[in-house]
């Protein structure tokens, strides 16, 4: 790993690293916040997955999470949202290609050569973090929008691996909204049955672990009715008996102002699960 930046923050350190990601076939950046407690003990880890167009920088500069991570003694790791670099497939649109990996393992050319973000965030990156930093094997995962989708499917696809999961404004049913239909068609092909393995509203029906899900959703979110559709996950969880809490907030939109307003509550939610 090559450390790119190193800033003192709330008694801990906000760092950014670059490394060669074998699952993606390219170099990747990820951010890691090490709270002051990490200097004397192994701390649990929260993985944050960001949304469309983001890099690791959006979360660490806009969410205000470091204060709460220091308070609760949790490490926060925030990877980039897609593979990048020379030779990596891309698309002119913001919702496909670089910055829009959708946290799936692509099976269709040209995307399959690099776009294996699920393998990266679920396997390669945690293994790297657990080798290289003072962390325990207690993990939680959360994210925003496309990253909220990523957090939900990653937790549901790996029962027993995460102690907690939450999301801000997630895409809960990508197989039934425009953003998801476009991305899944490109990355996975036209077979909609294959999409179900990457759709939280489908995965809860057969989930082997009933890990409680916490979602915060702004009611003034411009994407609420067309792209996010939390009602679809509510219906699926009710049918499956899967514990779900959706908190709706009047006046809040899709931005990091919304995330910053409630990030402390999410970190506290995860810290309770990670410390038990």
């Amino acid at each position: 790993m090559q450390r790119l930046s190193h800033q003192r923050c709330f008694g801990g350190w906000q760092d950014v690293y670059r490394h060669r990601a074998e699952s993606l076939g390219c170099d990747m950046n990820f951010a890691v916040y090490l709270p002051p407690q990490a200097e004397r003990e192994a701390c649990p880890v929260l993985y944050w997955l960001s949304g469309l167009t983001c890099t690791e920088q959006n979360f660490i500069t806009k969410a205000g999470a470091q204060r709460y991570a220091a308070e609760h003694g949790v490490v926060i790791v925030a990877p980039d949202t897609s593979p990048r670099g020379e030779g990596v497939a891309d698309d002119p649109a913001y919702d496909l290609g670089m910055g829009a990996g959708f946290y799936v393992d692509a099976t269709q050319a040209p995307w399959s050569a690099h776009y294996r973000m699920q393998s990266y965030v679920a396997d390669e990156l945690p293994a790297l973090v657990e080798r290289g930093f003072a962390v325990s094997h207690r993990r939680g995962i959360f994210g925003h929008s496309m990253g909220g989708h990523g957090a939900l499917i990653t937790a549901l696809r790996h029962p027993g691996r995460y102690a907690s999961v939450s999301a801000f404004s997630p895409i809960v049913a990508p197989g039934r909204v425009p953003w998801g239909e476009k991305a899944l068609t490109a990355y996975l092909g036209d077979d909609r049955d294959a999409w179900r393995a990457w759709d939280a509203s489908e995965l809860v029906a057969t989930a082997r672990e009933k890990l409680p899900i916490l979602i915060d959703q702004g009611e003034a979110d411009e994407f609420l009715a067309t792209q996010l559709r939390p009602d679809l996950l509510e219906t699926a969880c009710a049918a499956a008996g899967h514990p779900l809490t959706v908190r709706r907030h009047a006046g809040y939109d899709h931005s990091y102002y919304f995330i910053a307003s409630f990030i402390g509550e999410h970190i506290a939610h995860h810290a309770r699960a990670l410390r038990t």
Side-chain angles (χ1 to χ4, degrees):
M1 292 186 294
Q2 175 191 4
R3 190 165 68 188
L4 303 180
S5 63
H6 182 59
Q7 270 86 37
R8 194 71 163 159
C9 187
F10 291 101
W13 293 97
Q14 179 63 68
D15 294 344
V16 175
Y17 288 86
R18 178 174 294 152
H19 75 112
R20 182 68 180 178
E22 297 304 325
S23 55
L24 305 177
C26 66
D27 291 342
M28 286 288 283
N29 289 359
F30 71 93
V32 56
Y33 178 71
L34 297 169
Q37 295 88 336
E39 295 182 4
R40 60 180 183 269
E41 64 182 5
C43 296
V45 188
L46 260 176
Y47 290 89
W48 169 268
L49 305 183
S50 291
L52 288 167
T53 76
C54 290
T55 69
E56 77 288 344
Q57 291 293 320
N58 298 73
F59 178 74
I60 65 175
T61 59
K62 295 181 179 180
Q66 295 91 341
R67 171 185 176 182
Y68 304 103
E71 176 184 341
H72 292 286
V74 297
V75 173
I76 301 184
V77 174
D80 200 348
T81 53
S82 76
R84 299 181 193 268
E86 185 177 352
V88 174
D90 197 13
D91 188 272
Y94 76 95
D95 53 358
L96 189 66
M98 293 187 196
F102 266 82
Y103 303 102
V104 305
D105 283 350
T107 60
Q108 304 299 302
W111 312 104
S112 56
H114 296 281
Y115 284 74
R116 298 183 53 80
M117 284 298 294
Q118 179 66 191
S119 292
Y120 178 68
V121 300
D123 298 315
E124 184 175 357
L125 182 60
L128 179 70
V129 168
E130 289 168 15
R131 289 195 307 269
F133 299 94
V135 302
S136 72
H137 291 280
R138 297 286 289 171
R139 311 177 194 93
I141 191 165
F142 63 154
H144 171 235
S145 193
M146 177 187 73
H149 145 77
L152 295 177
I153 64 167
T154 302
L156 289 165
R157 287 171 59 91
H158 298 90
R161 186 172 297 185
Y162 299 93
S164 54
V165 60
S166 72
F168 290 85
S169 314
I171 303 168
V172 302
R176 287 179 277 178
V177 299
W179 274 342
E181 289 178 321
K182 178 178 180 178
L184 296 183
T185 298
Y187 298 145
L188 304 175
D190 294 325
D191 182 3
R192 287 178 173 260
D193 285 340
W195 299 2
R196 299 176 65 183
W198 306 99
D199 186 319
S201 69
E202 299 283 355
L203 288 169
V204 293
T206 56
R208 292 189 284 119
E209 178 187 35
K210 302 293 186 182
L211 190 64
I213 297 170
L214 170 65
I215 289 174
D216 274 339
Q217 175 63 60
E219 291 187 336
D221 190 319
E222 62 269 40
F223 304 114
L224 175 57
T226 56
Q227 305 283 13
L228 307 179
R229 299 292 309 276
D231 57 294
L232 296 176
L233 185 61
E234 288 177 303
T235 299
C237 284
H242 197 108
L244 169 69
T245 299
V246 178
R247 308 190 306 183
R248 291 174 168 81
H249 304 275
Y252 285 93
D253 60 16
H254 200 68
S255 71
Y256 266 85
Y257 295 109
F258 173 48
I259 295 170
S261 298
F262 298 99
I263 193 70
E265 295 177 25
H266 277 246
I267 292 174
H269 162 78
H270 287 279
R272 287 191 292 271
L274 290 167
R275 291 293 184 181
T276 58

